[in-house]
Amino acid sequence: MTQKDITFVADFLTEHFNEAPELYNRKGKYFNVERVGQYLKDEDDDLVSPPNTEGNQWFNFLKNSTHLKESPLLFPYYPEKSLHFVKRQMEGVIDQCLQKPADVIGKSVHQAVCMSLYKTSESEDSTPQLFKLPFLWNDKTSNIHYVLFTILENSISKIYILRRHTDTSRSVSNGILAVEFGNFLNNSISDSSDSRCYSCLDAHFYDDETVTVVLKESVEQEGKERVLAQLPLS
């Protein structure tokens, strides 16, 4: 150890382990404990050395504010308690806030339709992630929900568009359809379909009538690897 290390230890002992007669009446607490560690104890007991909040700008601000002093929006401060105690208090409040919405939402949700998109093997370990790019869009003008997604394994060149009416009792035509890109961007008839096939890297709704897609050539060539296309939904 260097002399600097020894000085640090000595200063620590001097600051935190001086005799504290005011603590003698506390069972087993005859000296000041390290001030960080006391906050991490999972106990409901009061802190041995609570923090000094004198001069704290935030506390002074709250004390002088008639509107914020008793505001239910501010989480109460427990200067005598550890972080574990405060954490349990906060978790209890959050659970209480979320329980009612969870009950209401849970009771209002029901299955409107069921569609089989693909089948997987029995073993979950060997099942790859096939469902990708789920992007949701709500057309408030026509009251229709859209979901864009791709299925990786057998239809890499397609994006699927699922649409449902926000009123579950009503249906829409072509509830689900696929858009295949393939080789539709070929410049000439001599281009082979294998070398100029496109797959979808990403797809989002640009607005209610337009879909933006990022396409990738299956055989990459310099300067021709990516295509940004905007497709009319119609």
Side-chain angles (χ1 to χ4, degrees):
M1 295 176 68
T2 65
Q3 186 60 42
K4 193 175 182 180
D5 296 329
I6 297 174
T7 303
F8 280 145
V9 174
D11 289 344
F12 178 87
L13 294 174
T14 302
E15 180 180 356
H16 296 295
F17 290 90
N18 284 338
E19 287 192 3
E22 69 274 10
L23 300 179
Y24 285 170
N25 292 330
R26 285 202 175 185
K27 186 178 179 181
K29 308 288 186 183
Y30 299 126
F31 49 80
N32 286 330
V33 298
E34 197 270 310
R35 294 182 181 179
V36 174
Q38 64 177 347
Y39 288 101
L40 305 178
K41 290 182 178 179
D42 193 3
E43 299 174 353
D44 289 341
D45 296 340
D46 291 348
L47 297 176
V48 176
S49 300
N52 180 14
T53 60
E54 185 178 350
N56 185 294
Q57 294 179 349
W58 173 248
F59 293 123
N60 291 340
F61 171 69
L62 291 182
K63 192 184 301 181
N64 298 326
S65 172
T66 54
H67 298 292
L68 290 177
K69 191 184 299 183
E70 304 297 330
S71 173
L73 300 177
L74 290 177
F75 194 80
Y77 175 60
Y78 303 95
E80 305 288 334
K81 298 296 185 180
S82 73
L83 293 178
H84 279 284
F85 176 87
V86 176
K87 175 176 176 284
R88 283 197 298 273
Q89 294 289 317
M90 182 174 286
E91 286 175 341
V93 172
I94 293 174
D95 288 343
Q96 187 177 2
C97 290
L98 295 179
Q99 188 57 47
K100 186 69 174 178
D103 292 341
V104 173
I105 294 171
K107 292 174 182 176
S108 67
V109 172
H110 64 278
Q111 179 177 297
V113 64
C114 179
M115 296 182 181
S116 178
L117 298 176
Y118 56 81
K119 292 183 179 181
T120 60
S121 61
E122 295 290 334
S123 172
E124 293 183 1
D125 298 334
S126 61
T127 303
Q129 180 189 356
L130 298 180
F131 192 74
K132 194 181 178 188
L133 296 179
F135 178 78
L136 281 66
W137 181 267
N138 178 227
D139 183 351
K140 294 182 174 61
T141 306
S142 56
N143 296 324
I144 293 180
H145 281 309
Y146 289 93
V147 184
L148 289 178
F149 62 93
T150 59
I151 299 177
L152 297 182
E153 194 170 74
N154 58 356
S155 51
I156 196 70
S157 62
K158 297 177 183 177
I159 63 167
Y160 293 84
I161 303 176
L162 170 67
R163 59 180 187 172
R164 296 287 302 172
H165 204 283
T166 53
D167 180 357
T168 55
S169 63
R170 300 177 60 184
S171 61
V172 293
S173 59
N174 295 328
I176 184 169
L177 55 84
V179 179
E180 183 165 14
F181 300 103
N183 57 356
F184 77 108
L185 292 178
N186 287 358
N187 292 327
S188 70
I189 200 169
S190 62
D191 287 330
S192 68
S193 59
D194 292 336
S195 63
R196 298 300 302 274
C197 187
Y198 293 88
S199 59
C200 182
L201 289 178
D202 201 0
H204 280 203
F205 268 82
Y206 181 76
D207 56 28
D208 287 344
E209 301 173 350
T210 312
V211 177
T212 301
V213 294
V214 180
L215 303 175
K216 172 187 175 184
E217 276 191 79
S218 56
V219 179
E220 294 189 355
Q221 302 173 24
E222 188 175 352
K224 296 184 178 179
E225 293 90 359
R226 306 287 186 269
V227 176
L228 179 68
Q230 289 199 297
L231 308 176
L233 196 59
S234 58

